[in-house]
Amino acid sequence: MKKLLFQLDTDPIPSAFDIVTAYDAGAHHVVSYAGIAPDQVQGLVHGCIFTRGGEDLRHTAIWIGGRDIAAGEQVLDVVTKSFFGDFRVSVMLDSNGANTTAATAVAQLIRAVDVREGTVVVAAGTGPVGIRTAGLFAREGARVIVTSPLRDQLERASELVKARFGAEIVTRYVENGDVDGYRTLLADARVLFGAGPAGVRLVPETAWQESAGLEAVVDLNLAPPSGIEGVSTGDAGKERAGKRCFGAIGVGHPKMKLHKACIASLFERKDLVLDIAEIYAAARGL
Amino acid sequence: MKKLLFQLDTDPIPSAFDIVTAYDAGAHHVVSYAGIAPDQVQGLVHGCIFTRGGEDLRHTAIWIGGRDIAAGEQVLDVVTKSFFGDFRVSVMLDSNGANTTAATAVAQLIRAVDVREGTVVVAAGTGPVGIRTAGLFAREGARVIVTSPLRDQLERASELVKARFGAEIVTRYVENGDVDGYRTLLADARVLFGAGPAGVRLVPETAWQESAGLEAVVDLNLAPPSGIEGVSTGDAGKERAGKRCFGAIGVGHPKMKLHKACIASLFERKDLVLDIAEIYAAARGL
Amino acid sequence: MKKLLFQLDTDPIPSAFDIVTAYDAGAHHVVSYAGIAPDQVQGLVHGCIFTRGGEDLRHTAIWIGGRDIAAGEQVLDVVTKSFFGDFRVSVMLDSNGANTTAATAVAQLIRAVDVREGTVVVAAGTGPVGIRTAGLFAREGARVIVTSPLRDQLERASELVKARFGAEIVTRYVENGDVDGYRTLLADARVLFGAGPAGVRLVPETAWQESAGLEAVVDLNLAPPSGIEGVSTGDAGKERAGKRCFGAIGVGHPKMKLHKACIASLFERKDLVLDIAEIYAAARGL
């Protein structure tokens, strides 16, 4: 029986990245749907759950992708609500790679640094990756500070982390590139994590390199300039100014491994729902 | 040489149900086209018939689906008209599952009940499944009465059955849920077949359970309430009030088997055109 | 590792012809994108080049098709510009089959006739196939005359051949069906090549059959009447009035072989860019 992966992509064209990765993870056929809106989902799910019986349903799985993770979350919600009783297949949400990226980066950090009761600063952390990163660190026992130059996003970020992870975080308004602002925050932080948009400089070198307690720095920005000055995209634990540094490509390789491992796991059972918590558990196990 | 099934779906997104079933029936690749209109069909058929030579064309086949069977019939018409000489591939029409559902249900009934010269009442039978069911029963020698609460649909149904099956049927205006109307009609019927829309109660229990000559009852409704009160979706010949009963799931399992057998047969020859008559013949042979 | 062919088709629906041919050429999966515009290309290319590493990238390839070759060329331009360093996959352009058709026909002619310093008349040769045919013959050392009944297209054709092939050609205004006009041109020509639109008679029999030096005639028209009167679609070197004749189907079979050979070659390296020059070289080598 063929392993069929139904790709529900909320973008106008389905992600080629996700298709190649799915084949390399062992899917026999990727069936791609683009521009998927919530009202189209139930019929597709019925097509998935009513065609194979019993345990054979583990050979069908659903992947939710696209750039807009809020749209992806709505799709996931309809997918899981369309299941009932034994009529279900495994499903994974990874819109914009946010889940696998956040899970990989935090899992890498946790191995390098003991964050329990330490402070983690997630710079420009009000977007999808930032929210997930903040929540995962908070669940690991860290005191988390999310910064942003957008005042109105800070409260929302705090609420999202609470709703999704049941964890409390602290938020701080900081302008991008504000040396004094970041230096003060980083004075007693153990981890600095840059989760801002591509090509935006968040934290200058002088704001973090002299922080005595800082042990690790992550920057997920692939396009120059880096979000955190001084971190290189290829860094994968490299020591700079005495801190272990991780860049976008350094995180990208294990992210790809996690992505494939998660897809492969979809076909082992028929009842997996892989969102950030489950994907993080998989990242910790790799 | 790969078995390629071209799915021409008239809906905006291609049916996931049909895709899974096609893979499980042995297609090596399903190539899906959605929102197909008749004017797009000839080019697609040319792509199918001009790429492989001679008997190799049996490894390419066309599937026509979607919710709108009238649209599917138009597509089938253009497909077959685009063939010429030896340039042809096998094709099957099963929009909305109407052909495989009607063929399966009638084939089941025929095994359970001798309908020749008996009366079959097809309740709410003016839709695609109803028309096909009525025609198949009439061709098997039954006296067929199609009912509907829609007066203007009755004459059209009669004409469609005549045009498609060359058979005469009787039509009767009956309101949904009309106990007396149905009791009178069912007094000397052998089979009651419910083909109405989902979730609409057509025939109350008291209208059919006391009919002395009635031998079998079919209800294709999956969503409650059942079209024919007292029939359960899982019934597959179960005796209720002395009549053999068949519900949507009871019909659904052999329907799926038929669906797959038909797809598999498409790849055995290059000149099959599977519409209701051929699909019914296959159902009788299973 | 699966051989994945990404089909970027500029038409509203992807070519079924190209899909079947790709599978028969050995692609493991064809991933089809329709209605592709240049601004959607970079993301797709990134999905292709960022998912597999090093030499594994040779298992991913891109095919550009659709009816509009100008649109296809724009897509090819963005595809190749999206590559950098080792991040590249092989790609082929064959919109409307223009490259494989022109390459096949010219390669066939070159085997039958020595065109060096001879004159080749490309009738109605201002379209995609005509431009490519003219350029290939010019590069082979022929004196090429392109005709057209469209005065304003002649200069553009000359410029396109120069830009694309670095070759000079001669252009002549001739009405379709003009016996005297074509007879004069063909008086000292060795090859007559019809590249006009379907169903348009370009050159009457009396204009070419008495030309003493004419050795070969090609007509790519599949729908009657033939562009060059007296040539049959099935001709594959058949002698008519002392000249070797080639028709659309006679060219079509080796064209199909070339098409498949080119696709197969895409998966042998990760850095092939197959446009007319490379496809012609492949045709010469078959």
Short mmCIF file of all heavy atoms in Angstrom, two decimals, chain C residues 202-226:
data_model
loop_
_atom_site.label_atom_id
_atom_site.label_comp_id
_atom_site.label_asym_id
_atom_site.label_seq_id
_atom_site.Cartn_x
_atom_site.Cartn_y
_atom_site.Cartn_z
N LEU C 202 1.45 27.19 -47.97
CA LEU C 202 2.50 28.18 -48.21
C LEU C 202 3.04 28.10 -49.64
O LEU C 202 3.13 29.10 -50.35
CB LEU C 202 3.69 27.96 -47.25
CG LEU C 202 3.38 27.90 -45.75
CD1 LEU C 202 4.61 27.44 -44.98
CD2 LEU C 202 2.93 29.28 -45.27
N VAL C 203 3.43 26.87 -50.05
CA VAL C 203 4.16 26.70 -51.31
C VAL C 203 3.46 25.67 -52.19
O VAL C 203 3.41 24.48 -51.83
CB VAL C 203 5.61 26.24 -51.03
CG1 VAL C 203 6.42 26.20 -52.33
CG2 VAL C 203 6.29 27.13 -50.00
N PRO C 204 2.90 26.10 -53.34
CA PRO C 204 2.24 25.15 -54.25
C PRO C 204 3.27 24.20 -54.88
O PRO C 204 4.46 24.54 -55.00
CB PRO C 204 1.61 26.04 -55.33
CG PRO C 204 1.60 27.43 -54.74
CD PRO C 204 2.77 27.49 -53.81
N GLU C 205 2.81 23.04 -55.28
CA GLU C 205 3.67 22.01 -55.90
C GLU C 205 4.49 22.56 -57.06
O GLU C 205 5.69 22.28 -57.19
CB GLU C 205 2.78 20.89 -56.46
CG GLU C 205 2.89 19.60 -55.71
CD GLU C 205 1.87 18.56 -56.22
OE1 GLU C 205 1.20 18.82 -57.25
OE2 GLU C 205 1.77 17.51 -55.59
N THR C 206 3.84 23.33 -57.93
CA THR C 206 4.51 23.81 -59.14
C THR C 206 5.65 24.76 -58.82
O THR C 206 6.49 25.03 -59.68
CB THR C 206 3.49 24.52 -60.06
OG1 THR C 206 2.81 25.51 -59.28
CG2 THR C 206 2.51 23.52 -60.62
N ALA C 207 5.67 25.24 -57.60
CA ALA C 207 6.75 26.17 -57.23
C ALA C 207 8.03 25.46 -56.83
O ALA C 207 9.10 26.06 -56.83
CB ALA C 207 6.29 27.09 -56.09
N TRP C 208 7.94 24.17 -56.45
CA TRP C 208 9.15 23.49 -55.96
C TRP C 208 9.55 22.23 -56.72
O TRP C 208 10.73 21.89 -56.79
CB TRP C 208 9.05 23.19 -54.46
CG TRP C 208 7.98 22.19 -54.03
CD1 TRP C 208 6.71 22.44 -53.67
CD2 TRP C 208 8.14 20.76 -53.90
NE1 TRP C 208 6.03 21.29 -53.33
CE2 TRP C 208 6.90 20.24 -53.45
CE3 TRP C 208 9.21 19.87 -54.11
CZ2 TRP C 208 6.69 18.88 -53.21
CZ3 TRP C 208 9.00 18.51 -53.87
CH2 TRP C 208 7.74 18.02 -53.44
N GLN C 209 8.57 21.56 -57.33
CA GLN C 209 8.89 20.24 -57.90
C GLN C 209 9.83 20.30 -59.10
O GLN C 209 10.51 19.32 -59.40
CB GLN C 209 7.61 19.48 -58.23
CG GLN C 209 6.83 19.11 -56.95
CD GLN C 209 5.72 18.11 -57.20
OE1 GLN C 209 5.27 17.93 -58.33
NE2 GLN C 209 5.26 17.47 -56.14
N GLU C 210 9.88 21.47 -59.78
CA GLU C 210 10.75 21.55 -60.94
C GLU C 210 12.10 22.22 -60.64
O GLU C 210 12.92 22.39 -61.55
CB GLU C 210 10.03 22.30 -62.07
CG GLU C 210 8.93 21.43 -62.67
CD GLU C 210 7.87 22.24 -63.39
OE1 GLU C 210 8.22 23.33 -63.92
OE2 GLU C 210 6.70 21.81 -63.42
N SER C 211 12.30 22.58 -59.37
CA SER C 211 13.59 23.19 -59.01
C SER C 211 14.69 22.15 -59.11
O SER C 211 14.69 21.15 -58.38
CB SER C 211 13.51 23.73 -57.58
OG SER C 211 14.81 23.98 -57.11
N ALA C 212 15.65 22.40 -60.02
CA ALA C 212 16.66 21.38 -60.33
C ALA C 212 17.59 21.08 -59.16
O ALA C 212 17.94 19.92 -58.89
CB ALA C 212 17.49 21.83 -61.53
N GLY C 213 17.96 22.13 -58.44
CA GLY C 213 18.96 21.91 -57.38
C GLY C 213 18.37 21.49 -56.05
O GLY C 213 19.10 21.12 -55.13
N LEU C 214 17.05 21.54 -55.94
CA LEU C 214 16.40 21.25 -54.66
C LEU C 214 16.56 19.76 -54.32
O LEU C 214 16.23 18.89 -55.11
CB LEU C 214 14.91 21.62 -54.76
CG LEU C 214 14.16 21.74 -53.42
CD1 LEU C 214 14.69 22.93 -52.61
CD2 LEU C 214 12.66 21.92 -53.67
N GLU C 215 17.06 19.51 -53.12
CA GLU C 215 17.31 18.12 -52.73
C GLU C 215 16.34 17.60 -51.67
O GLU C 215 16.08 16.41 -51.60
CB GLU C 215 18.75 17.96 -52.23
CG GLU C 215 19.80 18.24 -53.30
CD GLU C 215 21.21 18.06 -52.78
OE1 GLU C 215 21.44 17.20 -51.90
OE2 GLU C 215 22.10 18.81 -53.25
N ALA C 216 15.84 18.51 -50.86
CA ALA C 216 14.98 18.04 -49.77
C ALA C 216 13.92 19.07 -49.41
O ALA C 216 14.15 20.28 -49.54
CB ALA C 216 15.80 17.70 -48.53
N VAL C 217 12.79 18.55 -48.93
CA VAL C 217 11.66 19.39 -48.55
C VAL C 217 11.11 18.90 -47.21
O VAL C 217 10.91 17.70 -47.03
CB VAL C 217 10.55 19.33 -49.63
CG1 VAL C 217 9.35 20.18 -49.22
CG2 VAL C 217 11.08 19.76 -50.98
N VAL C 218 10.89 19.84 -46.32
CA VAL C 218 10.33 19.50 -45.01
C VAL C 218 9.05 20.30 -44.81
O VAL C 218 9.01 21.49 -45.15
CB VAL C 218 11.30 19.90 -43.87
CG1 VAL C 218 10.76 19.41 -42.52
CG2 VAL C 218 12.68 19.36 -44.12
N ASP C 219 8.04 19.66 -44.26
CA ASP C 219 6.82 20.40 -43.92
C ASP C 219 6.34 19.93 -42.55
O ASP C 219 6.03 18.76 -42.36
CB ASP C 219 5.74 20.15 -44.96
CG ASP C 219 4.49 20.94 -44.63
OD1 ASP C 219 4.59 22.18 -44.50
OD2 ASP C 219 3.42 20.33 -44.46
N LEU C 220 6.28 20.86 -41.59
CA LEU C 220 5.96 20.47 -40.22
C LEU C 220 4.47 20.54 -39.90
O LEU C 220 4.06 20.32 -38.75
CB LEU C 220 6.74 21.35 -39.23
CG LEU C 220 8.25 21.16 -39.29
CD1 LEU C 220 8.93 22.04 -38.26
CD2 LEU C 220 8.61 19.70 -39.05
N ASN C 221 3.68 20.83 -40.91
CA ASN C 221 2.25 20.97 -40.71
C ASN C 221 1.57 19.61 -40.53
O ASN C 221 1.70 18.74 -41.37
CB ASN C 221 1.68 21.67 -41.95
CG ASN C 221 0.44 22.43 -41.60
OD1 ASN C 221 -0.21 22.13 -40.61
ND2 ASN C 221 0.10 23.41 -42.41
N LEU C 222 0.82 19.48 -39.44
CA LEU C 222 0.13 18.20 -39.21
C LEU C 222 -1.30 18.24 -39.75
O LEU C 222 -1.80 17.25 -40.27
CB LEU C 222 0.12 17.89 -37.71
CG LEU C 222 -0.40 16.52 -37.29
CD1 LEU C 222 0.41 15.40 -37.92
CD2 LEU C 222 -0.38 16.38 -35.78
N ALA C 223 -1.97 19.38 -39.62
CA ALA C 223 -3.36 19.48 -40.06
C ALA C 223 -3.41 19.86 -41.54
O ALA C 223 -2.66 20.73 -41.98
CB ALA C 223 -4.08 20.54 -39.23
N PRO C 224 -4.25 19.21 -42.34
CA PRO C 224 -4.35 19.55 -43.76
C PRO C 224 -4.92 20.95 -43.95
O PRO C 224 -5.68 21.42 -43.10
CB PRO C 224 -5.30 18.48 -44.31
CG PRO C 224 -6.04 17.95 -43.13
CD PRO C 224 -5.18 18.17 -41.92
N PRO C 225 -4.63 21.66 -45.05
CA PRO C 225 -3.71 21.18 -46.07
C PRO C 225 -2.26 21.33 -45.61
O PRO C 225 -1.99 22.10 -44.70
CB PRO C 225 -3.99 22.13 -47.23
CG PRO C 225 -4.37 23.41 -46.58
CD PRO C 225 -5.14 23.02 -45.35
N SER C 226 -1.36 20.59 -46.23
CA SER C 226 0.05 20.70 -45.88
C SER C 226 0.55 22.10 -46.25
O SER C 226 0.02 22.73 -47.17
CB SER C 226 0.86 19.65 -46.61
OG SER C 226 0.74 19.83 -48.01
#
